[in-house]
Amino acid sequence: MTITQLEYIVAVDTYRSFVIAAEKCFVTQPTLSMQVQKLEDTLGVKLFDRSKQPVTPTEIGIEIITQARIMLSESEKIKEIITDRQKELSGELRVGIIPTVSPYILPKIIKGFIEKYPQVKLIVWEQTTEDIIQQLKLGKIDCGILSTPLHESSLTEIPVFYENFVAYVSKNSKLSKKKSINPEDIDMEEIWVLNEGHCMREQVLNICQRRKSTKGFLHFEYNTGSVETLKRMVDQNNGATILPELALSELTEKQLDKVRYFKSPEPAREVSIVIQRNFLKRRMIEALKNEILEFVPKRMRSKKKKEVMDI
């Protein structure tokens, strides 16, 4: 049994194709297939059901591949020990980030991070929470930046900051007559929300559904994955929406007049760096966390007087 063979079976499991797995491992398909077959012969079991398309692991194959991922992760730590001894951070950091966080922190921190750590190649994907969780479990990314808690036992959450939610309301909304609001003041019939698949949608619904109503949800049929689009819908079509506080930095003075803050305890979201339990690249991830903390206001580092909304 070799590390290379373990890498090959993990690749086949990840891509569910011997051809694609070979391409990703930079070997020919016959070479990869031969090594997988050798490992199966050594173990005396079949790891994959080749009669199915896409290729799927067998029942015992699932258990062995899970252990292979752990072994590969542990072997990578040998390289990390060497990297940690070096003064300068270097290597590749693969990050997944949800689209409701990305536009408000990434443009602010990337330049500083690259200047401080020129030997680090930062690769970022904007993805939904579900996709980031899956990519973390498969080892395709090193960390995720997303709203928590996730309630995923195989992942570790490192809370970074707590961001308040605010209401963004049109002049025709009843909320515009109030200086500050309670969740119970929100009329679900006038709220624009993100489509399914975005964790912020669930957080907003958790805020708004405190008000009991027997009426229908007028605007729920509109599907968008963009917070900026929700803001424009309020500007041009009335109603109201819920924004993360960091989005306010992009508003004009006229638009800021449409913002209404919640009374204490203010609804907020916990934004964390999420990693696998046996995670690698500790120094790089810590550096990324510190860069984010330098950008966000100090008051966001505490959840005091805030109510963290579940997702």
Side-chain angles (χ1 to χ4, degrees), residues 34-280:
M34 182 180 67
Q35 289 298 323
V36 172
Q37 182 66 56
K38 280 186 176 181
L39 181 58
E40 289 179 323
D41 292 342
T42 300
L43 298 174
V45 297
K46 286 292 181 184
L47 300 177
F48 297 100
D49 183 348
R50 293 163 173 80
S51 66
K52 295 182 179 179
Q53 290 297 328
V55 175
T56 57
T58 60
E59 187 175 344
I60 193 169
I62 292 172
E63 293 184 43
I64 291 172
I65 292 166
T66 299
Q67 187 61 38
R69 290 185 185 278
I70 295 172
M71 293 173 68
L72 289 174
S73 177
E74 291 298 317
S75 70
E76 282 294 317
K77 288 184 180 179
I78 295 174
K79 298 177 184 177
E80 188 173 306
I81 290 170
I82 297 171
T83 302
D84 282 346
R85 295 283 180 173
Q86 299 171 342
K87 292 183 179 180
E88 189 172 21
L89 284 180
S90 63
E92 190 176 271
L93 184 62
R94 302 163 300 170
V95 182
I97 185 169
I98 55 175
T100 58
V101 171
S102 175
Y104 310 118
I105 66 170
L106 272 188
K108 312 292 184 181
I109 69 169
I110 284 181
K111 183 180 178 182
F113 185 88
I114 292 174
E115 287 177 350
K116 289 179 183 176
Y117 312 104
Q119 299 303 314
V120 175
K121 183 177 181 181
L122 192 62
I123 304 175
V124 181
W125 288 274
E126 195 173 280
Q127 301 169 311
T128 63
T129 296
E130 184 178 351
D131 287 339
I132 291 174
I133 291 172
Q134 185 68 11
Q135 299 291 303
L136 280 168
K137 290 181 177 179
L138 292 175
K140 289 186 176 181
I141 58 176
D142 300 306
C143 67
I145 302 175
L146 58 168
S147 289
T148 51
L150 299 175
H151 309 294
E152 288 281 345
S153 59
S154 62
L155 301 177
T156 297
E157 301 168 4
I158 306 172
V160 181
F161 64 93
Y162 301 87
E163 180 183 17
N164 289 344
F165 286 111
V166 300
Y168 185 73
V169 304
S170 66
K171 290 184 178 179
N172 293 335
S173 170
K174 294 179 180 179
L175 298 176
S176 66
K177 298 178 176 62
K178 298 177 176 288
K179 291 184 178 181
S180 60
I181 62 174
N182 291 307
E184 294 80 6
D185 298 327
I186 297 174
D187 185 349
M188 292 297 294
E189 288 192 328
E190 69 169 3
I191 287 290
W192 299 93
V193 296
L194 294 172
N195 57 11
E196 291 184 7
H198 294 272
C199 58
M200 199 179 111
R201 170 190 171 91
E202 302 307 318
Q203 290 169 320
V204 169
L205 293 180
N206 285 337
I207 295 171
C208 299
Q209 287 180 344
R210 296 180 185 183
R211 172 174 175 164
K212 296 180 180 179
S213 174
T214 57
K215 297 180 180 180
F217 299 150
L218 182 62
H219 297 308
F220 277 16
E221 292 303 316
Y222 180 79
N223 292 304
T224 180
S226 167
V227 173
E228 294 304 304
T229 301
L230 295 179
K231 177 167 61 69
R232 293 190 184 98
M233 294 303 289
V234 173
D235 288 338
Q236 299 177 26
N237 297 279
N238 297 321
T241 193
I242 305 296
L243 301 177
E245 190 177 0
L246 288 176
L248 302 187
S249 63
E250 309 292 327
L251 302 187
T252 64
E253 287 189 18
K254 184 178 180 181
Q255 289 175 320
L256 285 172
D257 288 338
K258 299 179 181 179
V259 174
R260 296 294 181 271
Y261 292 89
F262 286 94
K263 295 177 181 177
S264 183
E266 296 173 84
R269 64 176 176 178
E270 178 183 81
V271 178
S272 301
I273 290 180
V274 180
I275 51 180
Q276 286 184 319
R277 280 193 166 182
N278 299 310
F279 75 105
L280 303 171

Side-chain angles (χ1 to χ4, degrees), residues 16 131 187 295-296:
R16 299 301 168 101
D131 287 339
D187 185 349
F295 161 66
V296 299

Side-chain angles (χ1 to χ4, degrees), residues 6-27 32 48 52-57 65 69 72 92 94 125 134-135 138-141:
L6 297 182
E7 288 175 340
Y8 288 172
I9 64 170
V10 165
V12 174
D13 179 54
T14 299
Y15 300 106
R16 299 301 168 101
S17 165
F18 279 84
V19 175
I20 298 175
E23 290 176 356
K24 298 296 183 180
C25 293
F26 303 103
V27 295
L32 182 138
F48 297 100
K52 295 182 179 179
Q53 290 297 328
V55 175
T56 57
I65 292 166
R69 290 185 185 278
L72 289 174
E92 190 176 271
R94 302 163 300 170
W125 288 274
Q134 185 68 11
Q135 299 291 303
L138 292 175
K140 289 186 176 181
I141 58 176

